[in-house]
Amino acid sequence: METLFFFISQIRFGDFIYYEEDGCILRLKIGDGFNNCEVLLRLEELSLYNAFVERIRISPGEEYMAASIKTSDSEESMCVIVKLGKYPEVEDFIPNVFSFEWVQDGILFYTCQKNLRCCNVFRTSFGNKKYTECIYTEQDPRFFVDLHCTRDRFFLTINSNSKTTSEVWLVDCHQPWNVPVLVQKRNSGVMYHIEHRNNELYILTNYGEPSEYKLMKTSVDSCSIKNWQLIYTWRRKTKLIDMVMFKDHCIIFLKYCNQLYLNTISLNDHSVQFLKLPAWACACQLDTQPQDSSIDTCSFLLSSPVHPPRHYIYMLGKSGLYEQAEQEKPVMTDCHMARLEAKSKDGTLVPVTVFYKGNSKDLQKKPLLIHVYGAYGIDLNMNFKPEKQMLIEDGWILAYCHVRGGGELGLSWHTGGCLDNKLNGLDDLEACIKSLHNLGFSEPLSTALTAYSAGGILAGTLCNTNPKLIRAVALQAPFLDLLNTMLDTQLPLTIEELEEWGDPASDDKYRDYIKSYCPYHNIRPQTYPSILITACENDQRVPIGGILKYIQRLRKVIMDPQRHNRDHGMKVLKTPSEYRSIYLLGILFTQIYQNQRCCYWGRLL
């Protein structure tokens, strides 16, 4: 098998690999040595410092490269257009770009982001006659627009999605000046995503029963929903991650009961082959650049919080999974992983993933770090972080609670933890922590909880309702003043997120329900865990005003002379290892929001 090289932010296109390294975008011809790589763009020459490459797209004939560049102190990206050739040169800059795709050499479609929302699609041409025009506008503020090219590069799809509903328009890449064609008008609650093969559309959708993702198809010429034909339905508790189309097959990456699998579906006879991916793997990342669907290999990365990414190739003809021989980083061999289940208040079994050092003794005395999110149907982030590997080496136990509201067990797992089911996520979190303690993983006085953004809702609510379960909490840019935020429709994301939390402005039922668990509105005189909060001054997603109000109210309660004495049972750090662990936690808790970050303390750890 030929040797392949993989890099951060790298894509393979044609005979070349394009990748980012040390602030440069480089190109390497497959089979050549590293000394023959070609520099296409230097970020410092553009006066872009503290910046990184988010996405790279190569035009079909490799005449142009588009790369989105993002700095760590802004939500917005700039798209740089480079004319390739013997002497690559920058041809243009497009500000505030979110997604972009080439349909032909010199013809680029892109969306622009304003106030965290994308609603316009632009088409622009490069060369002697540069021309830009808006070809699609989304009017509904609940919907967000992005772009995608089908793997065979026959269609560009304009995808307009809310939290619960989809609508897709097609642009023929061979006739990009034609008006986009609607696949299926949006129906409330119906989500769908499009791929293409042999004049047929292949559709991942939740249309029909059960309301989970299934694979359907229809002719391009009769693409309305009444003509969709079912190919395959997955079992309940299945989370679809991605789909890759090939000439006669499609590959589906998925999670079933929180374990990663690869399904190969024949597009001729609809037979299905199942392949269980390595048990240690918790996260999967595919190549982002669409490639020729006639290629019979699929490359991807597998990782876990404590295992660095490892590169795998799946070969359709051989139905085999092959690992790249040389890996850049050593894999941790003395770390044990356990997949457990905790029974929630209503009897629902909640997955928990636990990591701990293999030779650990008396786990009940070890410190435990709990992770939670539980919102928007998004999985807990289980990609590799070197800080977490170091925590394991220092004797920590890491636990990931896959509570309802997230997406780990499919669409129904999300709906079971949003709107008026949000408190199911809190019940799940409490059940997970209690179950871990009952199984001998640490104890309340040695347990910390970490969450970011919307995960702060569950973490903050737990601090109000059952603070004795944990000793410390670390929150990164946490969403804590839910009620007042959802009442302010002038904020960028409020209208978009009504389908997640409910509308307290127009519905008293949701107003009362949100107020009953909102972390800010339920602070009370009691003993709280030690709380560390980090936030960003210019964060548009989580306004810092709500965080400061929460801290002010929490401090007022903590400083109350009538509050409970909180010194019971607290142990003093004695060893260098314990001090090092706290230092590592500080790195871990603040790594996401590094841009103009401010730290605010509810109490000191």
Side-chain angles (χ1 to χ4, degrees), residues 338-449:
R339 288 190 170 95
L340 310 173
E341 290 182 323
K343 182 178 287 189
S344 194
K345 183 186 292 186
D346 62 1
T348 300
L349 296 179
V350 183
V352 186
T353 308
V354 183
F355 301 89
Y356 58 95
K357 198 169 184 179
N359 59 1
S360 294
K361 297 180 180 179
D362 197 9
L363 290 173
Q364 192 169 10
K365 300 299 182 183
K366 299 295 183 182
L368 168 65
L369 181 60
I370 302 283
H371 302 72
V372 71
Y373 188 71
Y376 309 121
I378 297 175
D379 295 6
L380 260 176
N381 186 347
M382 299 193 71
N383 292 311
F384 173 68
K385 293 289 189 300
E387 302 93 319
K388 296 181 182 181
Q389 191 179 60
M390 296 172 73
L391 287 174
I392 292 290
E393 292 172 351
D394 273 354
W396 281 74
I397 305 166
L398 306 181
Y400 293 78
C401 302
H402 309 287
V403 303
R404 280 174 284 185
E408 286 87 346
L409 299 187
L411 297 177
S412 61
W413 199 245
H414 172 224
T415 57
C418 68
L419 295 175
D420 52 4
N421 293 319
K422 180 54 67 176
L423 286 177
N424 284 341
L426 177 65
D427 293 339
D428 295 351
L429 177 59
E430 287 192 14
C432 290
I433 297 174
K434 290 177 181 178
S435 178
L436 288 166
H437 291 160
N438 290 337
L439 290 171
F441 292 103
S442 194
E443 57 186 352
L445 289 178
S446 299
T447 297
L449 172 65

Side-chain angles (χ1 to χ4, degrees), residues 19-39:
Y19 62 99
E20 177 195 12
E21 188 173 80
D22 297 331
C24 299
I25 298 178
L26 303 100
R27 178 168 65 178
L28 176 68
K29 189 169 185 178
I30 295 173
D32 283 358
F34 287 100
N35 293 333
N36 295 321
C37 66
E38 177 185 9
V39 178

Side-chain angles (χ1 to χ4, degrees), residues 181-197:
V181 176
L182 176 63
V183 174
Q184 167 59 44
K185 184 179 179 180
R186 63 191 64 170
N187 288 335
S188 181
V190 175
M191 295 181 286
Y192 69 98
H193 312 275
I194 297 294
E195 259 293 354
H196 175 262
R197 166 189 175 266

Side-chain angles (χ1 to χ4, degrees), residues 421-596:
N421 293 319
K422 180 54 67 176
L423 286 177
N424 284 341
L426 177 65
D427 293 339
D428 295 351
L429 177 59
E430 287 192 14
C432 290
I433 297 174
K434 290 177 181 178
S435 178
L436 288 166
H437 291 160
N438 290 337
L439 290 171
F441 292 103
S442 194
E443 57 186 352
L445 289 178
S446 299
T447 297
L449 172 65
T450 182
Y452 65 93
S453 192
I457 296 290
L458 294 181
T461 303
L462 182 68
C463 289
N464 290 330
T465 59
N466 201 344
K468 293 184 179 180
L469 270 183
I470 47 180
R471 177 189 174 189
V473 179
L475 304 175
Q476 305 105 46
F479 196 8
L480 296 167
D481 189 6
L482 175 60
L483 180 58
N484 289 326
T485 299
M486 295 307 297
L487 287 170
D488 187 352
T489 57
Q490 299 303 310
L491 292 174
L493 298 177
T494 296
I495 294 177
E496 181 183 334
E497 298 194 352
L498 294 177
E499 294 173 316
E500 176 72 21
W501 309 101
D503 187 356
S506 62
D507 191 329
D508 289 342
K509 180 189 74 170
Y510 281 119
R511 184 186 183 97
D512 294 341
Y513 185 64
I514 291 174
K515 190 174 183 179
S516 73
Y517 68 83
C518 175
Y520 171 73
H521 284 86
N522 290 278
I523 294 173
R524 64 197 71 174
Q526 63 176 347
T527 298
Y528 275 87
S530 300
I531 299 178
L532 167 66
I533 297 177
T534 60
C536 177
E537 289 178 321
N538 60 351
D539 191 343
Q540 292 179 276
R541 296 183 180 277
V542 183
I544 199 168
I547 296 175
L548 294 175
K549 285 168 56 182
Y550 175 88
I551 292 169
Q552 184 178 24
R553 178 174 286 191
L554 183 63
R555 279 178 169 165
K556 185 176 180 180
V557 168
I558 290 173
M559 298 302 181
D560 185 348
Q562 300 301 318
R563 71 184 179 88
H564 295 286
N565 186 341
R566 192 183 171 278
D567 296 330
H568 58 281
M570 289 300 173
K571 62 181 182 180
V572 177
L573 300 180
K574 297 178 180 179
T575 68
S577 177
E578 288 180 302
Y579 282 111
R580 179 170 177 259
S581 293
I582 295 300
Y583 170 72
L584 293 173
L585 278 174
I587 297 175
L588 178 67
F589 295 158
T590 59
Q591 62 187 341
I592 297 177
Y593 288 87
Q594 296 178 354
N595 47 316
Q596 299 181 22

